Amino acid sequence: MRALFPLLIATALAAPTPADAAPSARWRQSWGLNGATTARVPSNPAFASLTLEPRAGGQAAIARNLLSGPVQVQLRGQSAALVKTPAPPVVLAPGERRTLLWLPADGAPSQLLLDAIPGAPAARPDNYLYQLPFRSHQVRVSQAFAGRYSHTDAQNRHAVDFPLPEGTPVLAARAGKVMQLVESAPDLGSLVRVLHSDGSMALYAHLQTGGLQVRLGQKVETGQQLALSGNTGRSTGPHLHFAVQANTGLALTSLPFRMRSERGELQFPRETSAVP
């Protein structure tokens, strides 16, 4: 299981340089803006988009939240306007569009970069006991907290991988609202992100393509079916990748969590094993 990249910037005003196109730890990309073209909005798995719109003799750089939950964004880059007044991070409500910067039409080249992280940094996750996200009398774990294969970064350090046959119903481990749906992300494959009442977010990844059972913005109850398990993205075998994450201030961090099955609370191992 690879790390979740929290940003796919939406501007594509000019072709990125080879350095920009290479994968990075934050999936952050930037493009040179010549002030003459309107940006294209990409498909999932973006959290936010950045577009330029003509306004008052110049162009407005406008960020839009693409999720059904809060997204924190910050505009960075090389432009006279940003050098004069750095843009602070802001939290966008679901679907909100907000002007972050005005660029004068003076022909000066600019390069803009948008950081975007799901969730609100003001969230205070509680000590919730999550329900097992599938039905089984025996629980197998192929990789748990701090797993050496891929659970080594902040976003996945406290994730758990459950080997499951493809097509197994994946259930909500906690009630909440469907914040993000993605049919095909490069690393995570098909995924569902659910926003909880305390501001934390559950990530269900490597789901079966075409197996999503919920819609964006839908409220779900504990135990409600979300999708079917699969083997999509960068996966070494059929499994469900589950993590509880929070925005810790323009950073997506996985949180240690508790989970119960029909036979009691689970004790997650660090290596491959079966959990009764």
Side-chain angles (χ1 to χ4, degrees):
M1 172 63 216
R2 293 291 189 93
L4 170 66
F5 298 127
L7 173 65
L8 176 62
I9 199 166
T11 51
L13 302 181
T17 65
D20 291 328
S24 68
R26 294 174 59 82
W27 210 8
R28 171 193 294 158
Q29 297 178 3
S30 62
W31 284 262
L33 307 182
N34 59 19
T37 312
T38 301
R40 298 193 307 268
V41 178
S43 59
N44 286 329
F47 298 142
S49 68
L50 180 65
T51 57
L52 293 183
E53 296 183 4
R55 184 176 299 175
Q59 290 187 321
I62 300 174
R64 181 168 71 94
N65 181 356
L66 301 177
L67 306 187
S68 288
V71 169
Q72 186 181 29
V73 299
Q74 184 173 31
L75 189 64
R76 305 176 188 271
Q78 299 174 1
S79 74
L82 280 175
V83 170
K84 182 178 181 180
T85 307
V90 297
V91 176
L92 303 179
E96 180 182 357
R97 297 174 77 253
R98 187 182 303 187
T99 299
L100 303 182
L101 181 70
W102 180 79
L103 297 169
D106 55 8
S110 297
Q111 187 179 56
L112 299 182
L113 179 151
L114 185 71
D115 287 339
I117 297 291
R124 296 294 179 267
D126 54 29
N127 185 28
Y128 186 84
L129 182 61
Y130 288 81
Q131 177 176 294
L132 189 70
F134 53 91
R135 295 186 180 91
S136 178
H137 293 292
Q138 187 179 50
V139 181
R140 294 183 59 239
V141 173
S142 58
Q143 191 177 197
F145 295 170
R148 290 180 295 179
Y149 175 67
S150 60
H151 294 180
T152 57
D153 66 309
Q155 298 172 37
N156 295 286
R157 185 165 294 118
H158 294 105
V160 175
D161 290 344
F162 298 102
L164 293 174
E166 291 190 55
T168 301
V170 174
L171 314 176
R174 180 176 181 177
K177 182 174 72 169
V178 178
M179 180 181 187
Q180 182 186 27
L181 294 174
V182 178
E183 278 289 353
S184 181
D187 282 346
L188 295 169
S190 184
L191 67 87
V192 176
R193 182 183 298 274
V194 175
L195 176 66
H196 306 135
S197 59
D198 63 353
S200 65
M201 300 164 286
L203 177 69
Y204 307 77
H206 299 306
L207 305 172
Q208 188 176 91
T209 300
L212 302 180
Q213 305 291 318
V214 289
R215 65 183 184 278
L216 197 63
Q218 178 180 341
K219 292 183 179 180
V220 295
E221 300 299 328
T222 303
Q224 182 173 339
Q225 184 171 338
L226 303 175
L228 299 176
S229 66
N231 188 26
T232 57
R234 295 189 181 180
S235 170
T236 57
H239 73 284
L240 170 66
H241 177 85
F242 178 85
V244 178
Q245 299 173 328
N247 179 351
T248 54
L250 278 175
L252 193 59
T253 304
S254 61
L255 308 174
F257 61 87
R258 300 166 57 216
M259 180 170 282
R260 60 181 173 84
S261 69
E262 296 176 356
R263 303 180 65 179
E265 186 168 346
L266 305 180
Q267 300 297 319
F268 294 120
R270 296 174 67 95
E271 302 296 335
T272 302
S273 68
V275 180

